[in-house]
Amino acid sequence: MDETHARLAGGTDVVTSPTTMPWGNRSLIVRDPDGTLVNFFTPVTPGAVAKFAHLTRRTVS
């Protein structure tokens, strides 16, 4: 998340810098050119990681 913030910070309207939320996700909120809020997040605490484990991307060979 912090790397994404560093890449976007120069030319993007960052609304909220990376923040770890009480429920365990690290979140970054930006505004796109049309004014729409976009929330990037990733689970970082063990509980949040477990909750989203079934959504992990898998590579198909």
Side-chain angles (χ1 to χ4, degrees), residues 8-34:
L8 295 175
T12 303
D13 180 10
V14 175
V15 176
T16 304
S17 295
T19 304
T20 301
M21 307 307 280
W23 48 90
N25 290 336
R26 190 141 174 88
S27 174
L28 163 66
I29 301 174
V30 299
R31 188 178 310 276
D32 77 6
D34 293 325

Side-chain angles (χ1 to χ4, degrees), residues 30-55:
V30 299
R31 188 178 310 276
D32 77 6
D34 293 325
T36 303
L37 293 176
V38 180
N39 184 2
F40 294 95
F41 77 92
T42 188
V44 293
T45 64
V49 170
K51 180 178 179 179
F52 291 99
H54 69 283
L55 299 176

